[in-house]
Amino acid sequence: MVSITKLFGSYGANCKLNSFNDEMKFFAKMSILDWCGVAYAGKKEPVSKIVSEMVMEESGVNKATVISNGHKVSSRGAALANGATGHALDYDDTHFLFVGHPTSSALPTALALGEELDSSIEDIILAYMAGVEVSTRIGHILGYSHYNAGFHQTATSGSFGSTIVASKLLGLNEDQTINALGLVSTRASGIKSQFGTMGKPYHAGMAASNGIEAAKLSKLGFVSREDGIECEQGFFQTHGWNKEIPSRAVENLGTEFLFPEIKYKFHACCHGLHSFLEALDDLKKVNNFNPESIEEVKIETNPSWLKVCNIQTPKTGLESKFSYKLTAAMSIYGTDTSKLESYNDDICFEDKIVKMRDKVKVIPNEQLTDMQSVISIHDGSQEIKSTHDLSDKIEKNTLETKIVGKSVSLLSQSKSEQISKMLDEPEKNKVSSLVNCLAS
């Protein structure tokens, strides 16, 4: 077996800014802008407040900012709190090869450690791109066997990506970076049973914090296995891996990039629901149906999603983000599923929504990929049907317009423009300026 630990450690230590193509840089900017908006909007969420309060109680070294309250703590503490904040709304980017949320673990690491080290935004963009490319590839190797075994790649694969980010910013050499990856292989954790609770966004913070811890320990001389990811009883073999390494995960490292296949959320719920919600939106555009006349709604989806976002009778706003049946009912009755406030406890018990929810059937279809869905609505006189595939490419101009629009809605016009300008001139701006914008 190829030494995965050494392969990605060597890459992380040696890649340069000019080794990334324009497409990678474009999607890096889009993902950073997207995450900033989502994190800013998530600052008031309970999980953000609780984790921020915890790291404040443990503060003693004041080097990095907790964006939810503006206080400074250790970079490891800030990464933990800000990672949880950025994933609190479950509105951040998703990668279907990674099988999780790569930015929500890598970027908080970059921001926290970059602030401690007085790095430029250009410095953290390089570290971020290296980190998300590695975490995407490791996530692809782990694949759905790992995910279906109950692990959450945002926490597991994300820890490896955040370790590359931290190692890059700390200037670790190749051996130190490999050692850091070996060390974090025994630290990476996160299980899907936490979905629908505060535990899920906490996973992103865990991964972000793990990366800083592993890289700093390696820099201090902490010794770990150089093959910790792939060795006997190593991370792969103990975490549901199917013993296959897809060629795309290891080939053309540094010349071709998998991260630009990233997908963005334009509905404020689990990404597993987005394909059918897009298909339903298409139906609503061309059909003026009466919700009261609907007798049955059928949603066909890849079976893998049934353990992720198929809560039958959600009782909280957070649970509603993981329910095919409830989000379908919400959308049919005109609730804007792109708005954060649409997902609340009250809507879970609204009479007409509950009645429609109970008319929805979710049907597993193994012929569909994890990015495809089919929705059918039967109203007694006719059945209308629509399909959608999230893998269909969106033109860059259209995508940028949508990301900027989402950013403005979450941040405000002025903050969105301020952050966009920083990202357009990364060499001229410090990380602290970006963090202060998010914290204010």
Side-chain angles (χ1 to χ4, degrees):
M1 180 195 299
V2 61
S3 176
I4 296 297
T5 315
K6 289 184 178 180
L7 175 70
F8 291 127
S10 176
Y11 169 74
N14 295 305
C15 64
K16 307 296 182 185
L17 189 63
N18 61 10
S19 68
F20 292 93
N21 60 24
D22 289 343
E23 182 182 44
M24 184 70 177
K25 292 174 182 176
F26 169 80
F27 281 98
K29 177 185 174 182
M30 291 297 98
S31 284
I32 293 172
L33 181 61
D34 182 77
W35 184 90
C36 286
V38 172
Y40 185 80
K43 293 198 297 183
K44 295 181 180 180
E45 289 296 297
V47 65
S48 174
K49 292 181 178 180
I50 291 169
V51 179
S52 297
E53 183 177 344
M54 184 196 74
V55 299
M56 286 298 299
E57 290 177 355
E58 297 180 349
S59 64
V61 179
N62 303 321
K63 293 186 176 181
T65 303
V66 176
I67 63 174
S68 67
N69 56 29
H71 293 294
K72 287 196 172 183
V73 297
S74 68
S75 57
R76 189 157 61 106
L80 178 65
N82 296 341
T85 297
H87 194 42
L89 297 171
D90 216 312
Y91 207 6
D92 46 315
D93 62 23
T94 301
H95 204 296
F96 287 89
L97 286 179
F98 176 99
V99 201
H101 307 267
T103 297
S104 62
S105 53
L107 189 58
T109 303
L111 293 176
L113 196 53
E115 185 180 10
E116 176 182 332
L117 300 172
D118 196 32
S119 303
S120 68
I121 291 177
E122 184 175 64
D123 293 332
I124 70 158
I125 288 176
L126 168 58
Y128 165 81
M129 289 192 295
V132 293
E133 184 63 20
V134 167
S135 63
T136 299
R137 287 170 179 258
I138 290 179
H140 187 29
I141 294 171
L142 288 167
Y144 278 94
S145 61
H146 173 77
Y147 189 75
N148 292 337
F151 297 105
H152 185 201
Q153 259 106 311
T154 302
T156 57
S157 304
S159 290
F160 296 106
S162 68
T163 299
I164 293 294
V165 172
S167 298
K168 196 71 177 169
L169 288 171
L170 287 167
L172 301 193
N173 62 32
E174 186 171 315
D175 289 341
Q176 290 171 319
T177 304
I178 292 168
N179 189 63
L181 285 177
L183 176 58
V184 86
S185 70
T186 199
R187 197 79 166 92
S189 183
I191 51 179
K192 283 162 53 187
S193 61
Q194 295 292 334
F195 284 14
T197 76
M198 293 182 188
K200 186 175 189 285
Y202 186 62
H203 287 168
M206 287 163 46
S209 176
N210 285 343
I212 293 176
E213 179 180 304
K216 284 193 169 185
L217 285 171
S218 184
K219 187 173 184 178
L220 291 169
F222 194 103
V223 176
S224 180
R225 289 196 64 135
E226 293 184 345
D227 57 354
I229 298 175
E230 71 278 358
C231 68
E232 182 71 25
Q233 295 193 328
F235 187 84
F236 279 172
Q237 295 195 19
T238 57
H239 284 75
W241 177 52
N242 67 3
K243 296 182 173 56
E244 296 180 3
I245 298 180
S247 58
R248 291 191 71 198
V250 294
E251 292 178 356
N252 303 313
L253 181 61
T255 56
E256 295 182 7
F257 303 98
L258 302 189
F259 179 73
E261 295 180 29
I262 196 77
K263 302 299 177 185
Y264 300 97
K265 290 188 171 185
F266 300 110
H267 302 273
C269 55
C270 177
H271 222 145
L273 306 174
H274 285 218
S275 180
F276 103 81
L277 284 170
E278 291 290 332
L280 180 52
D281 282 347
D282 290 341
L283 279 182
K284 288 156 62 177
K285 289 175 185 175
V286 297
N287 295 276
N288 187 25
F289 52 77
N290 177 9
E292 300 300 324
S293 68
I294 292 176
E295 296 181 357
E296 184 179 59
V297 178
K298 292 186 289 187
I299 300 169
E300 297 177 53
T301 186
N302 184 279
S304 63
W305 289 116
L306 299 185
K307 293 182 180 180
V308 179
C309 48
N310 194 32
I311 295 177
Q312 299 293 302
T313 57
K315 297 178 175 60
T316 67
L318 187 55
E319 287 186 345
S320 73
K321 295 182 178 186
F322 295 88
S323 174
Y324 279 103
K325 298 177 71 168
L326 192 79
T327 52
M330 290 165 59
S331 179
I332 286 169
Y333 271 104
T335 302
D336 188 344
T337 53
S338 72
K339 289 186 176 180
L340 300 171
E341 59 269 25
S342 295
Y343 304 86
N344 55 69
D345 295 356
D346 290 341
I347 203 162
C348 297
F349 302 97
E350 190 173 330
D351 285 344
K352 66 180 183 181
I353 298 293
V354 171
K355 289 179 181 178
M356 183 62 68
R357 179 200 72 192
D358 292 340
K359 295 179 182 179
V360 178
K361 293 183 179 179
V362 182
I363 303 168
N365 183 341
E366 293 182 350
Q367 302 303 311
L368 298 173
T369 72
D370 56 340
M371 288 189 274
Q372 297 173 325
S373 66
V374 179
I375 184 167
S376 306
I377 297 178
H378 182 62
D379 68 357
S381 61
Q382 64 173 339
E383 183 176 72
I384 53 176
K385 181 181 291 190
S386 180
T387 64
H388 191 83
D389 190 336
L390 293 177
S391 66
D392 292 341
K393 284 195 172 182
I394 302 175
E395 292 294 327
K396 285 185 179 179
N397 289 341
T398 302
L399 178 62
E400 186 168 12
T401 298
K402 295 183 77 168
I403 293 289
V404 169
K406 177 181 172 182
S407 171
V408 169
S409 71
L410 297 173
L411 284 162
S412 79
Q413 183 81 38
S414 60
K415 280 188 180 291
S416 179
E417 290 176 355
Q418 186 179 353
I419 291 173
S420 290
K421 185 175 181 181
M422 291 183 200
L423 296 175
D424 285 336
E425 300 177 319
E427 72 286 353
K428 296 180 181 179
N429 293 281
K430 295 287 189 179
V431 174
S432 56
S433 299
L434 176 54
V435 173
N436 289 338
C437 180
L438 292 174
S440 62

